[in-house]
Amino acid sequence: MALNLIMLGPPGAGKGTQAERLAREHRIPKISTGDMLRAAAQDGTEIGRRAQAIMDRGELVSDDVMIGIVSDRLARPDVACGFILDGFPRTVAQATALDAIMDRRDPLIVVEIVVPEPELVRRLSTRMICESCGRTADIPPRGIRPGDPGQGRTEAGDRCAFCGGKLVQRTDDSDVVVRERLRVYRTNTKPLVDFYKNRATFRSVNGAQAPDQVAAELAAEIAAARNGRVGGRL
Ligand code: AMP
């Protein structure tokens, strides 16, 4: 059975980090709509330029554009064994469109990562992103532990531990924009929990733990959801 997974949760919950890990373990693509939009913006495409302005305000790109992008992406053959969606769906309209795209495919497994808002604000204010490879890193603590790719900052300064690229703050991680993104999340995306919560394949995990613990909880919940066991919310 293909692993068709959605990571649901507010900005800063750790969706991207966990999605990357799961994608590696299961050898399936991680599909991050935020990464796709940032890549389009860097390429200077029309959609990219328009998306950048919207992202800089912390608002959402239109459902039509996002549904088009994801529907094209999920038509590619590399999703045959599954995929991990990070950052999509973000509205009920997108979730409804995704159900239509998933018709006759293996069921979606939906995992919500729950993190209290003060912790999200703290995390986003210290988050850096590599200009070259797009990987995320935290500012503190300084230094990298050997074999721990999650730390991402070299002792020499603001450099990516993976590729040596320059670490910068995401333009939408500034205080004002973070507040707007969290508001947009509460208004537009949080209702997706109600949209999905009665499905047997919906799960919640506690995201306010160390990444390894979140990963372990996620793995257990995903396995349980795939085996069709009844789940529960936090
Ligand atoms: P992310 O990297 O997931 O935090 O996304 C960064 C920004 O990209 C968001 O704040 C939105 O402006 C835009 N974006 C990403 N995914 C979506 C989506 N599914 N629907 C609308 N806008 C999106």
Short mmCIF file of all heavy atoms in Angstrom, two decimals, residues 163-212:
data_model
loop_
_atom_site.label_atom_id
_atom_site.label_comp_id
_atom_site.label_asym_id
_atom_site.label_seq_id
_atom_site.Cartn_x
_atom_site.Cartn_y
_atom_site.Cartn_z
N CYS A 163 25.67 21.98 3.03
CA CYS A 163 26.29 22.37 1.76
C CYS A 163 27.19 23.59 1.91
O CYS A 163 27.81 24.01 0.94
CB CYS A 163 25.19 22.64 0.72
SG CYS A 163 24.28 24.15 1.06
N GLY A 164 27.26 24.15 3.12
CA GLY A 164 28.13 25.31 3.32
C GLY A 164 27.51 26.61 2.85
O GLY A 164 28.15 27.67 2.90
N GLY A 165 26.26 26.53 2.38
CA GLY A 165 25.59 27.74 1.89
C GLY A 165 25.31 28.73 3.02
O GLY A 165 25.41 28.39 4.20
N LYS A 166 24.96 29.94 2.63
CA LYS A 166 24.73 30.99 3.63
C LYS A 166 23.37 30.78 4.29
O LYS A 166 22.37 30.54 3.61
CB LYS A 166 24.78 32.34 2.92
CG LYS A 166 24.85 33.51 3.84
CD LYS A 166 25.06 34.79 3.04
CE LYS A 166 24.76 35.98 3.92
NZ LYS A 166 24.31 37.13 3.17
N LEU A 167 23.34 30.89 5.64
CA LEU A 167 22.07 30.79 6.36
C LEU A 167 21.47 32.19 6.51
O LEU A 167 22.16 33.12 6.92
CB LEU A 167 22.28 30.18 7.74
CG LEU A 167 22.70 28.70 7.77
CD1 LEU A 167 22.90 28.26 9.22
CD2 LEU A 167 21.66 27.82 7.09
N VAL A 168 20.21 32.30 6.17
CA VAL A 168 19.52 33.59 6.30
C VAL A 168 18.18 33.36 6.98
O VAL A 168 17.68 32.25 7.02
CB VAL A 168 19.28 34.24 4.91
CG1 VAL A 168 20.58 34.62 4.24
CG2 VAL A 168 18.48 33.30 4.01
N GLN A 169 17.60 34.43 7.52
CA GLN A 169 16.26 34.28 8.06
C GLN A 169 15.26 34.32 6.90
O GLN A 169 15.44 35.09 5.95
CB GLN A 169 15.93 35.41 9.06
CG GLN A 169 14.61 35.13 9.77
CD GLN A 169 14.26 36.15 10.86
OE1 GLN A 169 14.40 37.34 10.66
NE2 GLN A 169 13.79 35.65 11.99
N ARG A 170 14.26 33.47 6.95
CA ARG A 170 13.21 33.53 5.93
C ARG A 170 12.51 34.87 6.05
O ARG A 170 12.22 35.31 7.15
CB ARG A 170 12.21 32.39 6.18
CG ARG A 170 12.40 31.21 5.25
CD ARG A 170 11.52 30.06 5.62
NE ARG A 170 10.10 30.34 5.54
CZ ARG A 170 9.15 29.40 5.58
NH1 ARG A 170 9.50 28.13 5.70
NH2 ARG A 170 7.88 29.71 5.51
N THR A 171 12.23 35.49 4.92
CA THR A 171 11.63 36.83 4.99
C THR A 171 10.29 36.78 5.73
O THR A 171 9.90 37.75 6.37
CB THR A 171 11.42 37.42 3.57
OG1 THR A 171 10.83 36.41 2.75
CG2 THR A 171 12.71 37.89 2.97
N ASP A 172 9.62 35.61 5.66
CA ASP A 172 8.31 35.54 6.34
C ASP A 172 8.42 35.04 7.78
O ASP A 172 7.42 34.75 8.41
CB ASP A 172 7.31 34.71 5.53
CG ASP A 172 7.78 33.29 5.27
OD1 ASP A 172 8.96 32.98 5.55
OD2 ASP A 172 6.96 32.48 4.81
N ASP A 173 9.64 34.95 8.31
CA ASP A 173 9.80 34.58 9.72
C ASP A 173 10.02 35.81 10.61
O ASP A 173 10.38 35.68 11.79
CB ASP A 173 10.98 33.60 9.92
CG ASP A 173 10.57 32.15 9.61
OD1 ASP A 173 9.35 31.88 9.51
OD2 ASP A 173 11.46 31.29 9.48
N SER A 174 9.82 37.01 10.07
CA SER A 174 9.93 38.20 10.91
C SER A 174 8.72 38.25 11.84
O SER A 174 7.68 37.65 11.56
CB SER A 174 9.96 39.46 10.04
OG SER A 174 8.69 39.62 9.43
N ASP A 175 8.85 38.95 12.98
CA ASP A 175 7.80 38.93 14.01
C ASP A 175 6.42 39.26 13.48
O ASP A 175 5.45 38.55 13.75
CB ASP A 175 8.15 39.94 15.12
CG ASP A 175 9.33 39.44 15.95
OD1 ASP A 175 9.75 38.28 15.74
OD2 ASP A 175 9.83 40.20 16.79
N VAL A 176 6.34 40.34 12.70
CA VAL A 176 5.03 40.79 12.22
C VAL A 176 4.40 39.73 11.32
O VAL A 176 3.22 39.40 11.44
CB VAL A 176 5.19 42.11 11.43
CG1 VAL A 176 3.86 42.55 10.84
CG2 VAL A 176 5.77 43.18 12.32
N VAL A 177 5.21 39.18 10.40
CA VAL A 177 4.67 38.21 9.44
C VAL A 177 4.33 36.89 10.15
O VAL A 177 3.33 36.25 9.83
CB VAL A 177 5.64 38.00 8.26
CG1 VAL A 177 5.05 37.04 7.24
CG2 VAL A 177 5.95 39.33 7.59
N VAL A 178 5.12 36.51 11.14
CA VAL A 178 4.82 35.29 11.89
C VAL A 178 3.45 35.41 12.54
O VAL A 178 2.63 34.48 12.49
CB VAL A 178 5.92 35.01 12.96
CG1 VAL A 178 5.42 34.07 14.04
CG2 VAL A 178 7.16 34.43 12.29
N ARG A 179 3.19 36.57 13.14
CA ARG A 179 1.87 36.77 13.78
C ARG A 179 0.74 36.60 12.76
O ARG A 179 -0.27 35.96 13.03
CB ARG A 179 1.79 38.15 14.44
CG ARG A 179 2.24 38.12 15.90
CD ARG A 179 1.74 39.35 16.66
NE ARG A 179 2.32 40.58 16.14
CZ ARG A 179 3.53 41.02 16.47
NH1 ARG A 179 4.28 40.34 17.31
NH2 ARG A 179 4.00 42.14 15.96
N GLU A 180 0.94 37.15 11.56
CA GLU A 180 -0.09 37.04 10.52
C GLU A 180 -0.23 35.59 10.06
O GLU A 180 -1.34 35.09 9.87
CB GLU A 180 0.28 37.96 9.33
CG GLU A 180 -0.62 37.84 8.12
CD GLU A 180 -2.08 38.23 8.38
OE1 GLU A 180 -2.41 38.73 9.48
OE2 GLU A 180 -2.91 38.01 7.47
N ARG A 181 0.89 34.89 9.92
CA ARG A 181 0.82 33.48 9.48
C ARG A 181 0.09 32.62 10.50
O ARG A 181 -0.67 31.72 10.14
CB ARG A 181 2.24 32.94 9.22
CG ARG A 181 2.85 33.54 7.95
CD ARG A 181 4.34 33.33 7.90
NE ARG A 181 4.69 31.94 7.77
CZ ARG A 181 5.85 31.42 8.20
NH1 ARG A 181 6.73 32.18 8.83
NH2 ARG A 181 6.11 30.16 8.01
N LEU A 182 0.31 32.90 11.79
CA LEU A 182 -0.38 32.13 12.82
C LEU A 182 -1.88 32.45 12.81
O LEU A 182 -2.72 31.57 13.01
CB LEU A 182 0.23 32.40 14.20
CG LEU A 182 1.64 31.82 14.38
CD1 LEU A 182 2.26 32.29 15.70
CD2 LEU A 182 1.62 30.29 14.34
N ARG A 183 -2.20 33.72 12.53
CA ARG A 183 -3.62 34.09 12.45
C ARG A 183 -4.27 33.39 11.26
O ARG A 183 -5.37 32.83 11.36
CB ARG A 183 -3.76 35.62 12.31
CG ARG A 183 -5.17 36.15 12.49
CD ARG A 183 -5.32 37.60 12.02
NE ARG A 183 -5.09 37.75 10.58
CZ ARG A 183 -5.94 37.38 9.64
NH1 ARG A 183 -7.11 36.85 9.96
NH2 ARG A 183 -5.64 37.54 8.36
N VAL A 184 -3.58 33.41 10.12
CA VAL A 184 -4.08 32.75 8.91
C VAL A 184 -4.23 31.24 9.18
O VAL A 184 -5.21 30.62 8.76
CB VAL A 184 -3.13 33.01 7.71
CG1 VAL A 184 -3.42 32.09 6.54
CG2 VAL A 184 -3.23 34.47 7.28
N TYR A 185 -3.30 30.67 9.92
CA TYR A 185 -3.40 29.25 10.25
C TYR A 185 -4.67 28.98 11.05
O TYR A 185 -5.44 28.07 10.71
CB TYR A 185 -2.17 28.78 11.04
CG TYR A 185 -2.32 27.34 11.48
CD1 TYR A 185 -2.10 26.30 10.58
CD2 TYR A 185 -2.76 27.02 12.76
CE1 TYR A 185 -2.31 24.98 10.94
CE2 TYR A 185 -2.97 25.70 13.13
CZ TYR A 185 -2.74 24.69 12.21
OH TYR A 185 -2.96 23.39 12.58
N ARG A 186 -4.88 29.79 12.09
CA ARG A 186 -6.06 29.56 12.95
C ARG A 186 -7.34 29.67 12.14
O ARG A 186 -8.27 28.88 12.29
CB ARG A 186 -6.09 30.59 14.10
CG ARG A 186 -5.15 30.28 15.24
CD ARG A 186 -5.48 31.14 16.46
NE ARG A 186 -5.35 32.58 16.18
CZ ARG A 186 -4.24 33.28 16.33
NH1 ARG A 186 -3.15 32.70 16.79
NH2 ARG A 186 -4.21 34.57 16.05
N THR A 187 -7.39 30.66 11.26
CA THR A 187 -8.63 30.93 10.52
C THR A 187 -8.86 29.93 9.39
O THR A 187 -9.96 29.42 9.22
CB THR A 187 -8.56 32.35 9.89
OG1 THR A 187 -8.15 33.25 10.91
CG2 THR A 187 -9.90 32.78 9.32
N ASN A 188 -7.80 29.66 8.60
CA ASN A 188 -8.01 28.89 7.37
C ASN A 188 -7.63 27.42 7.46
O ASN A 188 -8.24 26.58 6.81
CB ASN A 188 -7.19 29.51 6.22
CG ASN A 188 -7.63 30.92 5.91
OD1 ASN A 188 -8.68 31.12 5.32
ND2 ASN A 188 -6.86 31.88 6.34
N THR A 189 -6.59 27.14 8.23
CA THR A 189 -6.03 25.78 8.18
C THR A 189 -6.48 24.91 9.35
O THR A 189 -6.74 23.72 9.18
CB THR A 189 -4.49 25.84 8.11
OG1 THR A 189 -4.13 26.75 7.06
CG2 THR A 189 -3.89 24.49 7.80
N LYS A 190 -6.60 25.51 10.53
CA LYS A 190 -7.02 24.74 11.70
C LYS A 190 -8.36 24.02 11.46
O LYS A 190 -8.53 22.88 11.92
CB LYS A 190 -7.08 25.69 12.91
CG LYS A 190 -7.37 25.02 14.22
CD LYS A 190 -6.14 24.43 14.87
CE LYS A 190 -6.56 23.74 16.15
NZ LYS A 190 -5.80 22.63 16.58
N PRO A 191 -9.31 24.64 10.76
CA PRO A 191 -10.57 23.93 10.47
C PRO A 191 -10.37 22.58 9.75
O PRO A 191 -11.28 21.75 9.74
CB PRO A 191 -11.35 24.91 9.58
CG PRO A 191 -10.83 26.25 9.95
CD PRO A 191 -9.37 26.05 10.28
N LEU A 192 -9.19 22.37 9.19
CA LEU A 192 -8.95 21.08 8.52
C LEU A 192 -8.91 19.93 9.51
O LEU A 192 -9.14 18.78 9.15
CB LEU A 192 -7.63 21.12 7.74
CG LEU A 192 -7.62 22.00 6.50
CD1 LEU A 192 -6.30 21.87 5.78
CD2 LEU A 192 -8.76 21.62 5.58
N VAL A 193 -8.64 20.24 10.78
CA VAL A 193 -8.66 19.18 11.79
C VAL A 193 -10.09 18.62 11.87
O VAL A 193 -10.28 17.41 11.91
CB VAL A 193 -8.18 19.72 13.16
CG1 VAL A 193 -8.39 18.68 14.25
CG2 VAL A 193 -6.71 20.11 13.07
N ASP A 194 -11.07 19.51 11.86
CA ASP A 194 -12.47 19.04 11.87
C ASP A 194 -12.79 18.30 10.58
O ASP A 194 -13.54 17.33 10.58
CB ASP A 194 -13.44 20.22 12.03
CG ASP A 194 -13.45 20.73 13.45
OD1 ASP A 194 -13.18 19.91 14.35
OD2 ASP A 194 -13.70 21.93 13.66
N PHE A 195 -12.23 18.78 9.47
CA PHE A 195 -12.48 18.15 8.17
C PHE A 195 -12.01 16.69 8.18
O PHE A 195 -12.65 15.81 7.61
CB PHE A 195 -11.73 18.96 7.10
CG PHE A 195 -11.96 18.50 5.67
CD1 PHE A 195 -13.02 19.03 4.92
CD2 PHE A 195 -11.12 17.56 5.08
CE1 PHE A 195 -13.22 18.63 3.60
CE2 PHE A 195 -11.32 17.15 3.77
CZ PHE A 195 -12.38 17.69 3.02
N TYR A 196 -10.88 16.43 8.84
CA TYR A 196 -10.27 15.09 8.77
C TYR A 196 -10.50 14.22 10.01
O TYR A 196 -10.29 13.02 9.95
CB TYR A 196 -8.75 15.22 8.59
CG TYR A 196 -8.32 15.68 7.21
CD1 TYR A 196 -7.55 16.83 7.05
CD2 TYR A 196 -8.65 14.94 6.07
CE1 TYR A 196 -7.12 17.25 5.78
CE2 TYR A 196 -8.22 15.35 4.81
CZ TYR A 196 -7.46 16.50 4.67
OH TYR A 196 -7.04 16.90 3.43
N LYS A 197 -10.88 14.84 11.15
CA LYS A 197 -10.70 14.11 12.41
C LYS A 197 -11.57 12.86 12.56
O LYS A 197 -11.24 12.00 13.38
CB LYS A 197 -10.88 15.05 13.61
CG LYS A 197 -12.30 15.43 13.91
CD LYS A 197 -12.34 16.31 15.15
CE LYS A 197 -13.77 16.74 15.38
NZ LYS A 197 -13.87 17.93 16.19
N ASN A 198 -12.63 12.76 11.79
CA ASN A 198 -13.46 11.56 11.93
C ASN A 198 -13.00 10.41 11.04
O ASN A 198 -13.62 9.35 11.02
CB ASN A 198 -14.93 11.89 11.67
CG ASN A 198 -15.47 12.79 12.76
OD1 ASN A 198 -15.07 12.66 13.92
ND2 ASN A 198 -16.34 13.73 12.39
N ARG A 199 -11.95 10.64 10.28
CA ARG A 199 -11.43 9.55 9.44
C ARG A 199 -10.57 8.61 10.29
O ARG A 199 -9.85 9.06 11.19
CB ARG A 199 -10.58 10.11 8.29
CG ARG A 199 -11.40 11.01 7.38
CD ARG A 199 -10.62 11.39 6.15
NE ARG A 199 -11.38 12.36 5.38
CZ ARG A 199 -11.02 12.84 4.20
NH1 ARG A 199 -9.89 12.45 3.64
NH2 ARG A 199 -11.77 13.71 3.57
N ALA A 200 -10.63 7.32 9.97
CA ALA A 200 -9.85 6.33 10.74
C ALA A 200 -8.36 6.56 10.58
O ALA A 200 -7.57 6.09 11.40
CB ALA A 200 -10.22 4.93 10.29
N THR A 201 -7.96 7.28 9.55
CA THR A 201 -6.54 7.47 9.27
C THR A 201 -6.03 8.82 9.78
O THR A 201 -4.96 9.27 9.38
CB THR A 201 -6.29 7.39 7.76
OG1 THR A 201 -7.20 8.28 7.12
CG2 THR A 201 -6.48 5.98 7.25
N PHE A 202 -6.80 9.49 10.66
CA PHE A 202 -6.34 10.77 11.23
C PHE A 202 -5.62 10.51 12.55
O PHE A 202 -6.09 9.74 13.38
CB PHE A 202 -7.54 11.70 11.48
CG PHE A 202 -7.15 12.99 12.16
CD1 PHE A 202 -6.69 14.07 11.43
CD2 PHE A 202 -7.21 13.10 13.55
CE1 PHE A 202 -6.30 15.25 12.05
CE2 PHE A 202 -6.83 14.28 14.19
CZ PHE A 202 -6.38 15.35 13.44
N ARG A 203 -4.49 11.18 12.75
CA ARG A 203 -3.73 11.03 13.99
C ARG A 203 -3.19 12.38 14.44
O ARG A 203 -2.93 13.25 13.61
CB ARG A 203 -2.52 10.11 13.78
CG ARG A 203 -2.89 8.66 13.51
CD ARG A 203 -3.44 8.03 14.78
NE ARG A 203 -3.63 6.60 14.70
CZ ARG A 203 -4.61 5.99 14.04
NH1 ARG A 203 -5.50 6.68 13.36
NH2 ARG A 203 -4.70 4.67 14.05
N SER A 204 -2.99 12.54 15.77
CA SER A 204 -2.33 13.72 16.32
C SER A 204 -1.07 13.30 17.05
O SER A 204 -1.08 12.28 17.74
CB SER A 204 -3.24 14.41 17.35
OG SER A 204 -4.08 15.33 16.73
N VAL A 205 -0.01 14.07 16.93
CA VAL A 205 1.18 13.80 17.73
C VAL A 205 1.61 15.08 18.45
O VAL A 205 1.32 16.19 18.00
CB VAL A 205 2.37 13.26 16.89
CG1 VAL A 205 2.00 11.98 16.16
CG2 VAL A 205 2.88 14.29 15.93
N ASN A 206 2.31 14.88 19.57
CA ASN A 206 2.80 16.01 20.36
C ASN A 206 4.11 16.51 19.75
O ASN A 206 5.13 15.85 19.86
CB ASN A 206 2.99 15.54 21.80
CG ASN A 206 3.64 16.60 22.66
OD1 ASN A 206 3.76 17.77 22.25
ND2 ASN A 206 4.06 16.22 23.85
N GLY A 207 4.05 17.69 19.14
CA GLY A 207 5.23 18.24 18.46
C GLY A 207 6.13 19.04 19.37
O GLY A 207 7.17 19.53 18.93
N ALA A 208 5.73 19.20 20.66
CA ALA A 208 6.55 20.00 21.58
C ALA A 208 7.56 19.11 22.30
O ALA A 208 7.71 19.18 23.52
CB ALA A 208 5.64 20.71 22.58
N GLN A 209 8.19 18.22 21.59
CA GLN A 209 9.21 17.35 22.15
C GLN A 209 10.45 17.44 21.25
O GLN A 209 10.42 18.07 20.20
CB GLN A 209 8.77 15.88 22.14
CG GLN A 209 7.31 15.61 22.42
CD GLN A 209 6.97 14.14 22.28
OE1 GLN A 209 7.41 13.32 23.08
NE2 GLN A 209 6.20 13.79 21.27
N ALA A 210 11.51 16.76 21.67
CA ALA A 210 12.71 16.74 20.84
C ALA A 210 12.38 16.06 19.51
O ALA A 210 11.53 15.16 19.47
CB ALA A 210 13.80 15.97 21.56
N PRO A 211 13.04 16.49 18.41
CA PRO A 211 12.73 15.93 17.08
C PRO A 211 12.73 14.40 17.03
O PRO A 211 11.87 13.80 16.37
CB PRO A 211 13.82 16.52 16.19
CG PRO A 211 14.21 17.78 16.87
CD PRO A 211 14.04 17.57 18.34
N ASP A 212 13.67 13.76 17.74
CA ASP A 212 13.72 12.29 17.71
C ASP A 212 12.47 11.68 18.34
O ASP A 212 11.97 10.65 17.88
CB ASP A 212 14.95 11.77 18.48
CG ASP A 212 16.23 11.95 17.66
OD1 ASP A 212 16.12 12.29 16.46
OD2 ASP A 212 17.32 11.77 18.23
#
